[in-house]
Amino acid sequence: MKKLLLFVALITVGTLTTQAQETKFGLKAGVNFASVFGDNLDEFDGQTDFHVGGVLSVGLNSWLSLQPELVYSRQGYSLEDSGFDIKGNLDYINLPILVDFTIAEGFSLHGGPQFGFNLVSEEAVDGESFKFDTKSVLISNAIGAQYQLPDNGLFFQLRYSSDFVTIAEEDDINVFNSVFSASIGWFFQ
């Protein structure tokens, strides 16, 4: 898996340096509305948390750009079961590699794969924390929209991502992340 990620990163950097028309770097932060879904997980509730990170937009032509990001994302779930309050925290460094299509001036749609690297997997039951095993690398899909103010670096994003592979280490447990996020950011031009 690490070799695949290194290969993708090298191809991305090579493409960026040879075909870039306009390259801009930005920072973003926002709110996550996260939960988990899967087999027998109907009773799980979502969790509201945050994300923060960097954005690189590399224009390939006037309507198409490649937009890799590096984002720290707090995700998780909550559950009230048999009088116990349970809160799960899943922290990731996410690397979405998005293709961004401009459909009107300042407005674009984007999508692509997202690689998530797990930093924290813990569950708190009535305030007492326990660590649990999850996969260290996840692959998700990410789709969304972005609007950048004209003649300005300020941008807004809405995005949804969900996992292709289960977060659990055991093969018989099917649990997936589901995250809707809203971001505000600034491109330095």
Side-chain angles (χ1 to χ4, degrees), residues 48-123:
T48 302
D49 234 309
F50 73 96
H51 63 269
V52 62
V55 181
L56 181 67
S57 178
V58 180
L60 302 176
N61 57 40
S62 62
W63 54 272
L64 181 67
S65 63
L66 186 62
Q67 188 167 303
E69 300 179 359
L70 187 63
V71 180
Y72 174 79
S73 181
R74 221 61 229 254
Q75 300 168 197
Y77 56 88
S78 61
L79 172 68
E80 188 172 318
D81 186 30
S82 302
F84 293 103
D85 288 324
I86 301 170
K87 182 177 179 183
N89 289 321
L90 300 163
D91 293 7
Y92 292 93
I93 294 291
N94 287 329
L95 175 65
I97 301 174
L98 307 172
V99 176
D100 192 67
F101 298 95
T102 299
I103 58 174
E105 186 173 348
F107 183 72
S108 61
L109 300 176
H110 56 251
Q114 174 175 284
F115 302 94
F117 304 92
N118 184 255
L119 301 174
V120 174
S121 299
E122 64 183 15
E123 193 169 70

Side-chain angles (χ1 to χ4, degrees), residues 12 20 24 41 45 55 60 63 65 67 76 88 91-92 97 104 110 118 120 132-134 149 158 168 170 179 186 189:
T12 301
K24 50 190 176 180
L41 297 179
D45 293 321
V55 181
L60 302 176
W63 54 272
S65 63
Q67 188 167 303
D91 293 7
Y92 292 93
I97 301 174
H110 56 251
N118 184 255
V120 174
F132 61 94
D133 289 333
T134 59
L149 293 176
L158 294 175
E170 293 84 17
V179 183
W186 185 269
Q189 300 180 8

